[in-house]
Amino acid sequence: MNTSAGERAKWRVEGVVEAPAEQVTEALLAVRPGPAGVDGNALVLAGDHTREAGAVTLEGGPDKFTGRFGGSGADYLELTVDRGTRSVGVQTWFGGTYTVEPEGAASRVVLRVHNVVPNSGLLGRKLAELGIESRLEKVLTSVLTALAAHVGAPAPAPATAK
């Protein structure tokens, strides 16, 4: 995977789930082999992957997972669950790290993105960066909504780029 929680991010997107950080973190770190983005599994993939690209089934574990999606199944992703840093790294069309920070009685979910379309060349990366903040806001808003539903919290406000 091309990302780590300590890497400097190019983009930061965040939003709040009205539930305790411990509860939201537990839901974030819940990743197991099988269908992703549903039934509390790999809720970081509840965003654009399952909505736009079709179902994703994860393999591997307990900390490193791979999956394929898209019509041909040729599109590849990686997830890394780091229980030490309490984060989930994802590498797909973007490489980033999801973390949860306490926000009073609520939880701030932060997505730090380090790269887009790795190995695509400069032109491919520049094209992928067009409108990236709004795309990442949509991705994180879907994740926030899935996390909130999983922990029984009210629907969250949309995520915002920082």
Side-chain angles (χ1 to χ4, degrees), residues 7 11 24 26 31 59 62 65 70 93 95 101 129-130 134 136:
E7 244 182 286
W11 300 274
V24 175
E26 184 179 314
V31 180
E59 298 175 348
F65 299 85
W93 69 270
E101 302 169 356
E129 290 176 5
L130 293 174
S134 69
L136 293 173

Side-chain angles (χ1 to χ4, degrees), residues 81-100:
V81 179
D82 187 333
R83 287 170 178 71
T85 62
R86 302 172 63 79
S87 65
V88 176
V90 60
Q91 182 65 63
T92 179
W93 69 270
F94 69 88
T97 306
Y98 290 86
T99 57
V100 178

